[in-house]
Amino acid sequence: MASRSKRTYNLSETTIHRVRELSEEYGAARTQDAVVDLAVERLYVELREHAEAARWTTAAADPDFRAEVRQIARDLAAAESWPA
């Protein structure tokens, strides 16, 4: 189990209620702390994936990157073919 650290955050009453509800009524996680862990991890993954998608979109518009990808595809096409 990862080490834990006590922190204090100022949360809205709505957020506090929702964290409690997610844990107790919906069983999203065993504890309220675990609900927060889960929520932060999901947000982190979502934002990281969004940033990666943006980088790929930028790369796809780059003519040098596209040329390099085409060259790699040509190089791998021969290397991945079955012997005759």
Side-chain angles (χ1 to χ4, degrees):
M1 181 177 189
S3 65
R4 309 295 289 179
S5 178
K6 181 82 171 167
R7 295 286 184 257
T8 301
Y9 296 98
N10 293 310
L11 303 173
S12 71
E13 289 298 320
T14 299
T15 300
I16 294 167
H17 174 76
R18 287 180 178 164
V19 167
R20 186 175 297 121
E21 186 177 8
L22 285 165
S23 176
E24 295 172 4
E25 289 186 38
Y26 293 104
R30 284 187 46 234
T31 65
Q32 292 177 37
D33 286 348
V35 169
V36 174
D37 283 339
L38 178 62
V40 169
E41 183 62 21
R42 289 179 78 171
L43 177 60
Y44 175 80
V45 168
E46 178 183 327
L47 292 175
R48 187 186 64 204
E49 289 175 354
H50 179 73
E52 183 177 356
R55 288 191 297 272
W56 278 108
T57 299
T58 300
D62 180 343
D64 292 334
F65 177 80
R66 293 171 58 123
E68 185 176 348
V69 168
R70 283 192 298 275
Q71 184 60 50
I72 291 169
R74 283 191 294 273
D75 293 346
L76 290 177
E80 292 182 353
S81 61
W82 288 96

